[in-house]
Amino acid sequence: MELHDVWFVLIAVLWTGYFFLEGFDFGVGILTKLLARNRPERRVLINTIGPVWDGNEVWLLTAGGATFAAFPEWYATLFSGFYLPLLLILVCLIVRGVAFEYRAKRPEENWQRTWETAIFWTSLLPAFLWGVAFGNIARGVKLDRNFEYVGNLWDLLNPYALLGGLVTLTLFTFHGAVFTALKTVGEIRVRARKLARWVGLIAAVVALAFLLWTQADSGDGKSLVALVVAVVALAAALVANQAGREGWSFALSGVTIVAAVAMLFLSLFPNVMPSTLNADWSLTVTNASSSPYTLKIMTWCAAIATPLVLLYQGWTYWVFRKRIGTQHIAPDAAAGTAH
């Protein structure tokens, strides 16, 4: 296997890790409006992801940086052609981080509700837009002979990509609901399981349609295996959720996301961005990659740094592994005077 193939796999792993981890905290952010009934419950939801949400975003930074270094032509075409949707995602992530930090800075209800609304929308929009973006990457876009995107914004809002957006939105919301059930106690835990059941059924329908469309359009034997794994895992996650086995349900919903993202990358390879105008104008792992020397240096750096990052993030999740409920929210925190 050539180094550019190795880095294609590594970038796929980074994006998969990002969607697995950021997926549930996007879902929890969405649930602050769909599930929480009062300020203490919204605080419980925010506290479930408070120690980890910023660490989850490290995977996005690493994936973007690795793409820039390993496949600069892919990075340039992607970030110029998808400029507006990626800019909107970036703005959402910035506002979302500010909202987490500033929500409890003042006790006024209007102040806190404003930032809670910001958390909701800046979780929902990226959850949808990431699916649109990766739907377009998998389907292909209008690239000319110079590997430049020559379409417009409306070309990106095609039925396949919009369906991909619905898939990530519903899957992330389901992932967040089962995570909430896993991390909470009391009534909010029960309601999270009930909501997960209905959101999971919707996710199953749209995900099956999207994955079958992908398989029919550009799939092969390997992507078919990933499709089957995704479908079986999602069905098992729904069963586990119904049985009250939150740990299994969360793990299986994560497997669903991993398998679905893996299917997209398997159906994409050896392309990194197909051209819908002419197959010869597609960006591939060969014509979009950096020099072998650059990839070699990157490989050594990744081999040293990646285990350390995984150990640190795993330790963070272990430290904050316990369940919480409204009884753990102090009265002054519920009123908004605590962080």
Side-chain angles (χ1 to χ4, degrees):
M1 181 182 287
E2 299 290 337
L3 278 178
H4 51 66
D5 297 331
V6 171
W7 273 97
F8 178 86
V9 174
L10 290 176
I11 288 172
V13 170
L14 289 171
W15 280 111
T16 302
Y18 172 68
F19 287 139
F20 177 91
L21 295 171
E22 190 84 311
F24 72 74
D25 73 46
F26 280 149
V28 172
I30 294 169
L31 294 179
T32 57
K33 291 291 185 183
L34 301 183
L35 183 65
R37 293 178 176 175
N38 50 48
R39 294 170 70 183
E41 288 190 351
R42 285 191 292 273
R43 186 62 183 173
V44 167
L45 290 177
I46 292 172
N47 282 359
T48 62
I49 59 174
V52 298
W53 68 268
D54 48 354
N56 294 343
E57 291 187 357
V58 170
W59 288 76
L60 172 62
L61 300 176
T62 308
T67 304
F68 171 77
F71 298 100
E73 193 72 49
W74 183 16
Y75 181 93
T77 302
L78 176 65
F79 279 78
S80 60
F82 293 18
Y83 179 79
L84 286 178
L86 291 179
L87 177 62
L88 181 56
I89 290 174
L90 177 61
V91 171
C92 284
L93 294 180
I94 293 172
V95 173
R96 189 169 183 263
V98 172
F100 280 126
E101 297 297 331
Y102 275 73
R103 175 193 173 276
K105 294 295 184 182
R106 292 170 56 179
E108 292 88 348
E109 184 172 353
N110 287 340
W111 171 271
Q112 295 199 358
R113 284 192 177 276
T114 298
W115 289 118
E116 289 164 1
T117 300
I119 291 172
F120 170 76
W121 286 109
T122 56
S123 298
L124 186 147
L125 288 174
F128 176 74
L129 290 174
W130 278 127
V132 173
F134 273 82
N136 278 295
I137 293 173
R139 171 181 174 269
V141 293
K142 294 180 179 179
L143 299 183
D144 63 14
R145 66 176 65 251
N146 297 316
F147 308 126
E148 295 181 359
Y149 178 66
V150 294
N152 54 47
L153 177 62
W154 302 112
D155 292 325
L156 300 178
L157 302 178
N158 56 80
Y160 177 80
L162 292 175
L163 181 61
L166 290 177
V167 171
T168 51
L169 176 60
T170 54
L171 275 182
F172 290 173
T173 305
F174 173 67
H175 200 38
V178 295
F179 177 79
T180 299
L182 177 65
K183 286 288 293 179
T184 58
V185 295
E187 184 184 353
I188 194 170
R189 175 187 178 188
V190 176
R191 295 204 314 271
R193 286 208 307 262
K194 291 180 179 178
L195 181 61
R197 177 178 61 193
W198 295 110
V199 175
L201 290 173
I202 296 171
V205 173
V206 294
L208 181 61
F210 179 77
L211 295 178
L212 288 175
W213 191 343
T214 303
Q215 180 65 26
D217 187 51
S218 57
D220 57 15
K222 294 178 181 178
S223 62
L224 179 60
V225 172
L227 186 156
V228 173
V229 171
V231 172
V232 172
L234 183 53
L238 286 167
V239 173
N241 176 72
Q242 188 67 20
R245 303 296 297 273
E246 293 101 343
W248 279 105
S249 183
F250 177 71
L252 289 165
S253 69
V255 171
T256 302
I257 293 173
V258 170
V261 177
M263 181 188 176
L264 289 183
F265 279 96
L266 287 169
S267 65
L268 187 62
F269 186 82
N271 295 319
V272 294
M273 186 172 284
S275 172
T276 57
L277 300 179
N278 188 324
D280 294 333
W281 299 345
S282 298
L283 283 169
T284 68
V285 293
T286 303
N287 63 24
S289 68
S290 294
S291 67
Y293 180 76
T294 299
L295 296 178
K296 184 177 180 180
I297 296 298
M298 289 176 59
T299 302
W300 279 107
C301 293
I304 296 171
T306 302
L308 297 176
V309 173
L310 292 175
L311 285 172
Y312 172 79
Q313 195 160 24
W315 175 78
T316 302
Y317 278 94
W318 174 257
V319 169
F320 295 100
R321 67 189 182 277
K322 292 184 178 180
R323 296 177 183 267
I324 62 173
T326 53
Q327 66 270 29
H328 301 119
I329 304 298
D332 59 340
T337 58
H339 293 271

